[in-house]
Amino acid sequence: MKLHEFQSKALFGEYGIPVPRGKVATTSDEAYAIAAEIGGAVVVKAQVHVGGRGKAGGVKLAKSPEEAREVASKILGMTIKGLTVRQVLVDPAANIQQEIYLAITNDRQAGRALIIASAEGGMDIEELAVKKPSAIVRLHIDPLVGLKVYHANNVVSAMGVPREHYRAFVQIVQQLYECYIKSDAELAEINPLVITTEGKLLALDGKVIIDDNALYRQPKLAAMRDLSEEPESETKAREAEITFIKLDGQIGCMVNGAGLAMTTMDMTKLYGEADGIGPANFLDIGGGASSDQVAAALRIILSDSNVKSVLINIFGGITRCDDVARGILVAYDEVKPSVPIIIRLQGTNAAEGRALIDAAQIPNVVSAETLTEAAQKAVEAAKKAM
Amino acid sequence: MKLHEFQSKALFGEYGIPVPRGKVATTSDEAYAIAAEIGGAVVVKAQVHVGGRGKAGGVKLAKSPEEAREVASKILGMTIKGLTVRQVLVDPAANIQQEIYLAITNDRQAGRALIIASAEGGMDIEELAVKKPSAIVRLHIDPLVGLKVYHANNVVSAMGVPREHYRAFVQIVQQLYECYIKSDAELAEINPLVITTEGKLLALDGKVIIDDNALYRQPKLAAMRDLSEEPESETKAREAEITFIKLDGQIGCMVNGAGLAMTTMDMTKLYGEADGIGPANFLDIGGGASSDQVAAALRIILSDSNVKSVLINIFGGITRCDDVARGILVAYDEVKPSVPIIIRLQGTNAAEGRALIDAAQIPNVVSAETLTEAAQKAVEAAKKAM
Amino acid sequence: MAILVDKQSPVIVQGITGKQGGFHAKLMMEYGTNVVGGVTPGRGGEWFEGKPVFDTVSKAVEATGATHSLIAVPAAFAAEAIYEAVDGGIKLIVCLTEHIPVSEMMKAVAYVKLKGARLIGPNCPGVMTPGQAKIGIIPGMIGMPGHIGVVSKSGTLTYEVGFALSRRGMGQTTFVGIGGDPVIGTTFIDVLQMFENDPDTSSVVLLGEIGGRAEIDAAEYIKNHMTKPVAAFIAGRSAPPGRRMGHAGAIVEGSEGSAEEKIAALEAAGVRVAANPEQIPDLLAS
Amino acid sequence: MAILVDKQSPVIVQGITGKQGGFHAKLMMEYGTNVVGGVTPGRGGEWFEGKPVFDTVSKAVEATGATHSLIAVPAAFAAEAIYEAVDGGIKLIVCLTEHIPVSEMMKAVAYVKLKGARLIGPNCPGVMTPGQAKIGIIPGMIGMPGHIGVVSKSGTLTYEVGFALSRRGMGQTTFVGIGGDPVIGTTFIDVLQMFENDPDTSSVVLLGEIGGRAEIDAAEYIKNHMTKPVAAFIAGRSAPPGRRMGHAGAIVEGSEGSAEEKIAALEAAGVRVAANPEQIPDLLAS
């Protein structure tokens, strides 16, 4: 789960990392008030979960409270990469002398936390990695031992920061690691961490991603989820404990297992792409899904008006095909969908499941033997409806 | 540093371990009030840092508040193994069905924490270890990994507690370990941990020893030190950062280094034992002691009226003999001791140190070349003074 | 031959009295797996379908000689169960559990490696040697004895491919579901190496997906070390970047982890990559 | 020959710009120790008595090829310094620091062993090979080259005995102060084994004290494995039970750790135990 910049920086602050004393505004008048309280120049920054805000015009300097109001009124409501800006962060402007990059992330190949740092911050770290890899310091942390002071020391020494800030940087590395560990973060990034012309250190921008699987033990962070940014269908799916991602194709997919769900999507694209047809969603009903969950999944899929046909592909392992069939029937009765539904049941209790579907004699329901056949039939059905 | 029973149990309580709801009294009236508040039978327990309180009459049952007052008045002020009882714990009496032993301690040979448990508690664990070793469960904890739930599970399963209390015991093992780790304890012992006839678990007695070297980061626990139990000279020595232990012999010893300090004591006993002469104290001025510390050490030694001669044995490594000599001169001027002082300086700056002492031309000061000679002279001097 | 598990392997189930643990323990026994007991703390001394239940893995190993373990406990307890299995002397640990925090798995995987045990998973369907034994949830009906080794990040995709192979009469040595989490105990390379060394395996199927670079590393390994033919499928060609596709590990981050990149690397290593998993039998047959 | 350190051993000092670290670094250099540099975080690039100072052990090792390190930093940082030395590639770490919490040392010692390094101490005077080099605070004047190996829990008691030996013209191969803490990196047995295997060492002096059972274990080892004569002294015959005699480890607990018990065990193993440490030269000479 991604935190917004303002949430990330507030979290950093809790661990002692120096952050600007800005606040969040949802209206331009609020932005005015915050800028007036701060005094002097401020930066008004769109709070949306996408990169490239600056290039999109979502970050602006304002020299006065009035200007802050004006700028905020432009940024609030603008759309950046499909997301509407609903809040802005108003931070005091900083006089930057040097920009540092500092991040801690999960290195999945190594199975360890990885500290990434560079005294040549300010540019995209991936770009820097290509242009000047020697400017990037990397250090893995043994998960059984954790970060020791000397790890921080090794990072800071290798970065080559100004000597007078040496100890302060060592401390920030430790603080960021503590934040990363205690927050169950996948990524805790400060970019840029600046040295101001007044000689102060300041985390000007921050990005934190929390491990979704650890949210159960991070209630404070879990509560920071910004529901306004996600489609209502995804929120509903999460409540029903279904993994659902909305896409922009025409074939609604319901599958058990993430790998097979992706594969099923891929199949609709493989056979439909020539006709501009593809998946309307990713949906994994999980292992051992109940009838209720299957019904909820079907309702969520059918709530998307783009959906022209539905492809249900279940290969029963933990999931029992008869449970799935019952769920389909329940949801069908309720929603009475007009779009064709292609059902392919295979594996545990597949015969029982198919028998249930057949017995219900539902119009518009087509069964298929193989995934290939099912995908082709779904594409055909969608094509007819377009 | 040892905690009292009431302090140990309060600490256990902070980690969720069930403890009796007793309170400490310093007067018999307080004991009455506490007993009245508790209601029913209570146990009045002397709070002193020695074992064998029960046998010495320091633990008594009282069936009423009046009886509690009477019992407390007897216990308060009594002397147990040389220590005066200044406070009693008044606990509700428990109906014991089974007594369990549970402790976590540092196993110095293994370099690991060791959990020791037995479902056949109630007797001295060392006694049990001899009589029925199979009844004792031992489990080491890897310091790099810490205690996992399954370690607690392994202990409890091996102990063979009643099944209905299985989970509760697993939890108490975890809680005690957390207490042990977070308190920097050398020992965290519950003996007995009882199952009452009502089916409740209760830590009836507790003993916690905190690692002295960790007290700097345990301010709350460090503040629990009971100064009333230690000789004033030891308190003063600790304030001066000198390691001092009062003994009952006649030769005051001042030495640098713990091993040599013990050895010097041993020498006074080796040559003095036949005449009933031995060390008056252990005193290690430490490595690199300052003149001030040496002066403080001499003052503390001379404050003991038993002291008939002083043996100063310094083998300079970090400690410089000239610093020691200056400290002796400062303290000497101040205290003007009447007892003879045998000084033996060797090692770093020994010649300079000896020159300083010789130049001061102090009466009663005898110098010695070897430790043997010094010890023999100190014994002779003490013998003359007796 | 086969790898990792056979008819003799003595298996315990950690969480055998739980709903999922019990359900799959029964299916495993029905399949012929040598399930020798189970573990549920506090329930030692009970019986499950004729098999003894123990409080701890140590006691179970002591009493039964188990060398293999299936972990089927909730996410909050699964990392602990792995440590316990390792310390109890289990050599092959299969962890089904999904949704274990990555930080827990980083520690658990480091511990397993430190102690020289092997972990499959977590968040995996387990291992199955058709006709002999299975540890996990792979449906027995998808496999038949033969000479194709199958290694996969995904559960149901494995079933799909196994089913397609079996329907064509192309049997398998062993299925190994390594799991879809970012940090796992056993990688593609580990299993490829086992199949390469297994005289009974004549060809290999690798089922990957978007996210991370395990398939890229596998391609490198195949190129340099494999003599047996490998066919593959990579799921997630149609997945949008930056979104986590169900599996915690299935996410294209920046330029890293896309299906295209992985397919290109595998093809460069001589692997035949299918656009449709049901075509894998054809790729192996031709 | 000698053990652990010789004239060539390249040594760094962690905490070289500190008061104690600097003082002893100078004395070590004066003695002839091959001090190649020092470490103080944030002071990399400076010089100390002509030797380079580095921010980190890694950098120091990279630049100087150091294999030995002296740790002379305050207790709150010492355990960290041990980890850093291990990870930096140091093979022999001597930790002078006193008052490190036991819980920290349990972890640090486990880590050192895990990584195959050797730690001497903490709370020890270090090691010295007379006429060649010393790492630590043992005064040079107490030793002279020869064939007696000395291993001890105590600093100044070692000086006392070394001085007594040297005064009698009985030189030493190496002094090893293992330290008086309950949990230490190198035990009596480790050092006895080194002396037994060192062709240059012909006899050994063991200086123990009350507390723990290291001397009992040493006696067992001597009985079963040592061919060279051993003389010993155990400090603390006059110490009261239950009190900690300066060293964190020097405490008689219950029936365990008394001087009498240790002396009896050593004598039973054929060790000559002195009642007065100044008699040790006589025991070795006769």
Side-chain angles (χ1 to χ4, degrees), chain B residues 235-287:
Chain B
T235 309
K236 278 197 175 153
R238 197 175 45 250
E239 285 162 8
E241 292 178 28
I242 294 163
T243 311
F244 176 87
I245 294 170
K246 192 176 156 10
L247 302 172
D248 49 13
Q250 303 79 7
I251 300 179
C253 299
M254 185 197 307
V255 190
N256 65 323
L260 190 57
M262 275 187 275
T263 302
T264 305
M265 281 165 44
D266 291 348
M267 292 305 99
T268 65
K269 195 178 174 193
L270 180 67
Y271 296 110
E273 197 167 18
D275 298 303
I277 289 172
N281 63 274
F282 169 93
L283 191 156
D284 173 11
I285 59 168

Side-chain angles (χ1 to χ4, degrees), chain A residues 13 47 69 73 106 113 133 138 140 151 208 221 321 329 337 351-352:
Chain A
Q47 300 295 292
R69 171 161 34 210
S73 73
N106 295 342
R138 289 166 195 274
H140 282 110
H151 292 126
V208 173
L221 297 172
C321 292
L329 297 178
E352 292 87 334

